[in-house]
Amino acid sequence: MSAPARWTVAIVVVAVAALGGLAASAYAQEVQFPHETHQGLFPLCTGCHEGVPTGDRSTFYPDPTTCRGCHNGVLEVTVTWNGPTQRVDNLSFSHNQHVDALDAAGDAALQCGSCHIPPGGGRMAVSDEIQLDTCFGCHAHEASSHQVDARCETCHVPLARTAFDRARIESIPEPSDHEVATFLSSDHGRLVQTDANRCATCHTRERCVSCHVDANRDVIASFPAAPPGMELPPAVAHYYEPTTHLEGQWLTLHGAEASRQDCATCHTSNDCLTCHVEPAPDAVAAMPSRADVVAPGVEVVAQAPQSHESAFFMQAHTVLAAAGDATCSTCHQEAFCVTCHDGPVGGGYHPRDFLARHTADAFGRDTECSNCHNTQVFCRECHAELGLVSRGRLGPGYHDDGPVWLLRHGQAARQNLESCASCHRQVDCTQCHGVLGAFKVSPHGVDFDAERAWARSPRTCLACHVGNPLNE
Amino acid sequence: MTFRGAIAVLATLASQLLLAVRTNAQEYRGWATTSVQVVELRPIGLDTVARSDVLTDSQGRFFYQGYEVSCTQATSCTGYLPMDDEATVAATQDLNLTYWGLGVEGLSLTALARVRLRAGTDLVWPRSDDEFDALLAYAQYQRGPLRLRGGRQDVRSGLGLSAFDGLTASYAYGSARAEVYGGRSLARGLREPANEALRGLDDFYLDHSVLLLGASASLRTLGVLATARYHREILWDRSSLVSERASLDFSTVLTRVRVTGSADYDFSFQHVGKAQLTVSAPLEDGRWLVELSGRRYVPYFDLSTIWGFFEPVSYSEVLARVGWSPNRTLGAWVSGGRRYYGDTGAPVIIQPMKDNGWRADVGARWAPLPAWTLNGSYQLEWGPGGFLSSVDASVRYAVNDRLGASLSALSFQQIEEYRLGQGRAFGMGASGDFRWNDRMSLMGGFSILRHRDGGNVFTSPWNQARGWTSVRFDVGEDPGLANRERRR
């Protein structure tokens, strides 16, 4: 071996031995070994840390009996140094991998002291603090911050693979980007998509599912989970209302955008079913169920649409229902409508004692009676029971508000024909208005299109006419 | 009760018992309601009285005990007079169930059945002699944008409620939705084929089932929600058209101002049917609500009756409403409308009838204490042939969130269709409601009306007494029905 080669090997060995300090720092030393005191005795790091270049952990540190060769009470005072016990950490540094890599690269620049000796320190001024800048000299050329820009997994294993206790976990410093106002609401989602390993350095899956309802999402499902027995700090769920939810029509429009991907961060299917009636839309069925979820989620309280808050909603809902078509069925089944429209006896649609004073309402038709009631049957049936029914002949009348009612009734009939039909049968009219009736008074207006009527429904014409009225 | 009715009653009661017991159902939801109403009232009847007992007023009109009669004979007069009191008991048992989770995702079954019973005198409460109705009975398959439904169902639209036995298919594509449906049409409000339900009403009525065909398209775009619908009914043998109509309904919100509109067109009679446009504006964070409406109303008759050929005229109405609710404990509203009827073209005898009418009402609700709520309202309606002046007042005391009781009083004066109204009716009532738990609730009450005709005579058709009660069981989560807050 030539002299330069020997120097190269020596430097590499020294460098590797120095890096061994990284590993050494993973050991808690009950008594800090005074390296500088012994600098005259140990020209090479590998003299004591033989296993560092090879990865043999059993020889990372010298055998304490070696110390007693001098510290035997005769030559030197006895010492109790027994070597460090392995410290719990989350480092993934491999000295022997670096040895191999450096060896292959012929890189002689890196020595043990590069990492283990502070700048300006002597050859044996070994410190417990790792000189991280040395690491970034190769691993993160553009890193501006240890905790933000560096790739954590280069040096650290995921938290789930450590033996950290709760106190140690709580002591992990929080990266500065976590303090950004939008970090929880939006930023962290993008970060975890691009660099989940970074998140996993300090978090386990349990942290994700403490907020995220949807634990089956790919990025969460693949996140390392805490090992059995690991005590995690209590996680507080934070939820932020997306800006979309603040839009005025959100309640009405959210269905078009609903998906497990977008909604299950905060909501379960139970939240959907707070309003949606079963069987619910597919998007609801795809949502996770509350029974399967750890996170508290955002509770949804059934809330009527804004339109329902109107004092006049009862009057207005007809058109809203007709225009919305399927919108009502989000919360209501058809049976709900029936409870009022076509409701049971004593149903709640009409106000109390409506029956006694429904005449004006029926006459004014603010609401259309025939939407629920068959006026020819329902109304007439009741009116007949009460005596308000024609006997099929002309006679002294019920309509006593004015003289010669019969001669004046045409105007009233055309204004409120539904009211007529709620007591009278058609034959009451045809006895005068039919071609075979007593007076043969045509009920049709001047613009009546007899030809069209005959073409569309000849059988109705025959109620009053003997044959085709066009031939009469 | 017929055997069919008895079986229906037993089946429904058994189902209701099942609902009451099985409260943890995961794959069915429904409710059962038992309602009973007792009514005592006094019909009127055409009667004959002796001419000697009839008084004549200064205008030459004849009155018997305050009721106008007609005297065309020398010794007798006839007129509508109060008959003896009659009472009836009408009960309905409704059962609604929706089942899903039948092994096919998206498949569900829905049924709403009604059983009716009656007792008492010969007085028949409307429909109480029809012992059983299947109001809804359909199977539905819904997957993604597609929904198929088959069975007894109804369509609620700008054309009203149309029930039929048939099929519906709808498909949603983004913000658009299309639907087609068809089947045997059921008579309005009766849920039975028209030719069966109306048989005997008139000699020339339908003798064939009616086939219903319809389609609709809904679109939500640019903040406007609109639905257009076409609806056609023909006799089963295709010999005659029964109805042909189309409607357009829309709703939109423009900077918190809601605009809704609707219109329908009757192809059978070639005229625009009902139409309305309403602008509703909340002001001051919703403390005020101002609504303006313009509407047109014309009764709808299909071609199976002669009524439509009598060419009823429409009326147009402008209506304004103002609501005020500064907080949750206080609210008030006032509304007023005026309507004008179209030219009837009918000959004018002696004097034309009124061709306009108006209505107004005012009301308020106040909860001075959390447990107490006061309500009051006054309604006035004055149109051709009808008049109503009515005042209501009530107080409700909520013992707790499960138990409440109300007392009410009312008074009104009215005239019916071109019939002289006399006197004023006074009434009072009480009611209570009790929610046993989330599954069961009970309510009931009574009201009494007494007619005072100015002479302190308590005999008239407006003397009425009514009592009612209902029990309801709910099973399964049903937020739409309850519309109440639910927390897990």
Side-chain angles (χ1 to χ4, degrees):
Chain A
M1 182 182 291
S2 65
R6 282 197 299 274
W7 273 109
T8 301
V9 170
I11 289 171
V12 167
V13 168
V14 169
V16 169
L19 281 172
L22 278 173
S25 67
Y27 288 75
Q29 291 175 281
E30 284 76 9
V31 177
Q32 171 67 43
F33 182 77
H35 283 84
E36 288 184 293
T37 305
H38 297 75
Q39 61 181 333
L41 297 174
F42 306 119
L44 293 176
C45 300
T46 51
C48 290
H49 304 292
E50 181 185 357
V52 170
T54 63
D56 179 9
R57 285 192 171 273
S58 65
T59 56
F60 260 34
Y61 292 95
D63 189 332
T65 58
T66 308
C67 301
R68 287 194 281 273
C70 295
H71 293 278
N72 54 11
V74 178
L75 296 176
E76 295 289 346
V77 296
T78 56
V79 294
T80 56
W81 190 86
N82 289 315
T85 53
Q86 187 167 3
R87 192 169 63 183
V88 174
D89 64 25
N90 63 345
L91 294 172
S92 66
F93 186 82
S94 168
H95 286 89
N96 52 312
Q97 280 182 3
H98 281 77
V99 169
D100 294 342
L102 291 170
D103 197 19
D107 189 341
L110 210 56
Q111 303 176 9
C112 298
S114 300
C115 295
H116 291 282
I117 296 174
R123 185 180 68 83
M124 291 287 275
V126 177
S127 168
D128 270 356
E129 297 298 324
I130 304 302
Q131 304 307 304
L132 292 170
D133 288 344
T134 305
C135 306
F136 298 137
C138 293
H139 289 295
H141 294 289
E142 297 177 2
S144 61
S145 165
H146 169 212
Q147 295 172 328
V148 173
D149 292 339
R151 296 188 63 80
C152 305
E153 69 271 23
T154 302
C155 302
H156 297 285
V157 296
L159 177 61
R161 285 172 50 194
T162 71
F164 281 6
D165 59 13
R166 175 176 166 177
R168 183 64 189 275
I169 296 171
E170 288 176 333
S171 71
I172 295 175
E174 185 175 276
S176 57
D177 62 348
H178 286 37
E179 297 168 3
V180 176
T182 56
F183 179 76
L184 272 180
S185 61
S186 59
D187 296 353
H188 83 283
R190 290 194 300 274
L191 287 172
V192 76
Q193 294 286 351
T194 57
D195 191 3
N197 289 328
R198 177 176 176 242
C199 307
T201 302
C202 303
H203 301 291
T204 64
R205 186 192 306 164
E206 284 73 13
R207 184 66 186 94
C208 307
V209 300
S210 67
C211 291
H212 282 269
V213 163
D214 189 4
N216 290 329
R217 189 168 294 182
D218 288 346
V219 68
I220 296 176
S222 62
F223 213 79
M230 175 179 271
E231 184 186 3
L232 297 167
V236 179
H238 298 275
Y239 295 102
Y240 296 88
E241 189 169 16
T243 53
T244 53
H245 290 34
L246 304 176
E247 295 167 3
Q249 293 292 298
W250 172 247
L251 195 64
T252 306
L253 301 175
H254 74 281
E257 301 175 27
S259 69
R260 178 171 182 145
Q261 177 67 27
D262 289 333
C263 305
T265 298
C266 305
H267 301 295
T268 65
S269 60
N270 303 65
D271 295 320
C272 307
L273 295 173
T274 302
C275 293
H276 285 275
V277 294
E278 287 275 21
D282 285 0
V284 176
M287 295 283 284
S289 169
R290 164 120 304 275
D292 304 326
V293 166
V294 174
V298 175
E299 179 182 329
V300 171
V301 176
Q303 179 187 357
Q306 187 184 10
S307 60
H308 290 43
E309 296 172 6
S310 164
F312 312 117
F313 177 70
M314 285 300 287
Q315 291 92 335
H317 82 282
T318 307
V319 178
L320 290 175
D325 204 12
T327 307
C328 305
S329 62
T330 298
C331 302
H332 304 292
Q333 280 198 305
E334 281 83 347
F336 173 70
C337 307
V338 173
T339 56
C340 289
H341 298 278
D342 204 3
V345 293
Y349 178 75
H350 294 301
R352 186 175 293 153
D353 295 309
F354 173 77
L355 178 71
R357 46 188 166 163
H358 72 285
T359 308
D361 277 341
F363 219 66
R365 306 289 173 196
D366 188 24
T367 53
E368 191 175 8
C369 307
S370 61
N371 252 342
C372 307
H373 305 296
N374 189 300
T375 53
Q376 292 178 90
V377 176
F378 183 89
C379 302
R380 192 172 184 278
E381 201 171 81
C382 191
H383 290 166
E385 290 291 325
L386 298 175
L388 308 175
V389 67
S390 64
R391 263 80 180 162
R393 64 175 179 82
L394 300 175
Y398 171 81
H399 306 288
D400 57 6
D401 181 23
V404 288
W405 164 257
L406 194 62
L407 297 177
R408 304 175 67 210
H409 79 282
Q411 187 179 359
R414 285 203 169 129
Q415 286 178 340
N416 286 287
L417 201 55
E418 281 170 313
S419 292
C420 304
S422 69
C423 294
H424 292 280
R425 297 201 304 165
Q426 296 171 83
V427 293
D428 296 337
C429 304
T430 58
Q431 65 180 308
C432 289
H433 289 290
V435 294
L436 299 180
F439 303 108
K440 300 181 179 60
V441 178
S442 170
H444 307 309
V446 292
D447 297 327
F448 182 70
D449 188 341
E451 190 171 353
R452 181 181 176 86
W454 177 257
R456 296 205 152 208
S457 184
R459 64 170 56 224
T460 313
C461 300
L462 296 176
C464 296
H465 298 272
V466 176
N468 186 342
L470 301 172
N471 299 329
E472 289 176 358
Chain B
M1 189 193 305
T2 64
F3 177 74
R4 178 169 169 256
I7 293 297
V9 169
L10 290 174
T12 308
L13 290 176
S15 301
Q16 181 155 342
L17 185 62
L18 175 69
L19 289 181
V21 174
R22 291 285 305 278
T23 56
N24 294 317
Q26 296 297 312
E27 297 191 333
Y28 66 84
R29 181 189 62 245
W31 44 262
T33 304
T34 307
S35 307
V36 180
Q37 180 174 236
V38 182
V39 181
E40 183 188 75
L41 43 71
R42 196 169 190 189
I44 63 173
L46 191 59
D47 205 355
T48 302
V49 296
R51 177 68 179 82
S52 57
D53 295 332
V54 172
L55 301 176
T56 306
D57 71 0
S58 58
Q59 299 176 15
R61 297 189 301 181
F62 305 103
F63 289 89
Y64 171 75
Q65 293 184 351
Y67 300 99
E68 186 171 16
V69 294
S70 174
C71 297
T72 56
Q73 306 291 326
T75 58
S76 64
C77 300
T78 55
Y80 283 87
L81 301 174
M83 300 287 105
D84 294 334
D85 286 344
E86 295 206 53
T88 187
V89 178
T92 55
Q93 173 65 56
D94 282 5
L95 177 66
N96 167 242
L97 283 175
T98 297
Y99 281 86
W100 67 95
L102 301 167
V104 177
E105 192 169 352
L107 180 64
S108 64
L109 303 175
T110 296
L112 174 57
R114 174 172 297 168
V115 175
R116 301 183 184 89
L117 293 172
R118 61 170 292 267
T121 63
D122 291 337
L123 181 67
V124 178
W125 193 254
R127 310 286 295 138
S128 61
D129 52 350
D130 186 0
E131 292 172 335
F132 179 77
D133 263 344
L135 303 181
L136 297 170
Y138 59 79
Q140 177 174 295
Y141 177 76
Q142 182 161 8
R143 291 295 294 156
L146 176 67
R147 192 190 78 180
L148 301 172
R149 182 181 285 182
R152 176 157 297 185
Q153 53 194 299
D154 53 38
V155 172
R156 296 156 204 279
S157 69
L159 299 175
L161 190 155
S162 304
F164 61 98
D165 296 330
L167 297 169
T168 300
S170 63
Y171 189 85
Y173 182 78
S175 57
R177 183 170 181 268
E179 182 177 81
V180 294
Y181 51 92
R184 183 176 63 166
S185 184
L186 304 180
R188 278 189 132 188
L190 297 178
R191 311 276 181 165
E192 293 174 27
N195 58 317
E196 296 175 13
L198 305 179
R199 183 176 294 152
L201 195 63
D202 278 302
D203 298 337
F204 49 88
Y205 225 80
L206 306 169
D207 54 1
H208 290 282
S209 290
V210 175
L211 175 64
L212 166 70
L213 297 169
S216 72
S218 302
L219 183 64
R220 185 198 303 274
T221 181
L222 302 175
V224 178
L225 181 61
T227 295
R229 185 174 297 271
Y230 173 79
H231 197 93
R232 180 184 175 93
E233 290 176 294
I234 58 174
L235 285 187
W236 204 264
D237 64 356
R238 295 191 289 179
S239 63
S240 184
L241 181 71
V242 177
S243 74
E244 185 180 13
R245 293 191 294 162
S247 67
L248 176 65
D249 299 81
F250 75 91
S251 170
T252 186
V253 177
L254 305 170
T255 58
R256 304 201 69 207
V257 175
R258 181 179 292 279
V259 181
T260 59
S262 67
D264 66 73
Y265 187 82
D266 191 334
F267 293 99
S268 308
F269 292 103
Q270 291 185 296
H271 64 65
V272 176
K274 288 175 281 295
Q276 70 114 325
L277 181 69
T278 298
V279 178
S280 178
L283 305 173
E284 293 191 11
D285 284 338
R287 287 191 289 275
W288 290 87
L289 180 67
V290 178
E291 245 181 47
L292 288 174
S293 291
R295 62 190 288 258
R296 165 195 161 92
Y297 180 86
V298 61
Y300 159 70
F301 296 103
D302 63 35
L303 293 171
S304 67
T305 71
I306 63 172
W307 302 116
F309 294 98
F310 283 42
E311 298 189 293
V313 298
S314 64
Y315 74 70
S316 300
E317 181 177 47
V318 289
L319 193 65
R321 296 185 177 110
V322 177
W324 175 64
S325 182
N327 52 55
R328 298 179 69 89
T329 63
L330 183 62
W333 69 93
V334 59
S335 72
R338 185 160 177 81
R339 63 180 183 272
Y340 299 90
Y341 289 83
D343 182 10
T344 63
V348 174
I349 307 295
I350 302 179
Q351 61 181 18
M353 289 185 172
K354 281 169 65 75
D355 63 354
N356 61 76
W358 52 276
R359 56 176 141 223
D361 70 276
V362 58
R365 170 190 50 81
W366 181 40
L369 295 170
W372 292 90
T373 305
L374 307 175
N375 283 285
S377 64
Y378 175 73
Q379 180 187 358
L380 180 65
E381 176 133 1
W382 202 330
F387 167 84
L388 174 69
S389 172
S390 173
V391 61
D392 282 85
S394 69
V395 55
R396 174 179 167 80
Y397 175 64
V399 179
N400 50 47
D401 62 352
R402 291 167 42 178
L403 179 63
S406 299
L407 289 175
S408 62
L410 80 157
S411 176
F412 65 85
Q413 188 175 28
Q414 69 177 346
I415 59 174
E416 299 172 309
E417 287 86 348
Y418 301 99
R419 177 171 173 79
L420 287 175
Q422 296 183 14
R424 175 171 284 276
F426 296 88
M428 59 148 304
S431 64
D433 51 88
F434 176 60
R435 183 165 54 84
W436 179 266
N437 52 35
D438 280 349
R439 306 288 178 190
M440 179 181 168
S441 57
L442 169 71
M443 63 179 64
F446 72 92
S447 64
I448 298 171
L449 275 177
R450 285 294 176 263
H451 188 106
R452 186 187 292 266
D453 67 356
N456 202 24
V457 179
F458 293 96
T459 55
S460 91
W462 294 120
N463 285 349
Q464 293 184 8
R466 302 176 70 188
W468 69 92
T469 184
S470 75
V471 182
R472 174 172 168 136
F473 294 98
D474 287 279
V475 172
E477 294 295 318
D478 202 346
L481 294 180
N483 195 25
R484 59 176 179 257
E485 290 191 351
R486 286 171 181 268
R487 296 175 182 276
R488 49 174 183 264

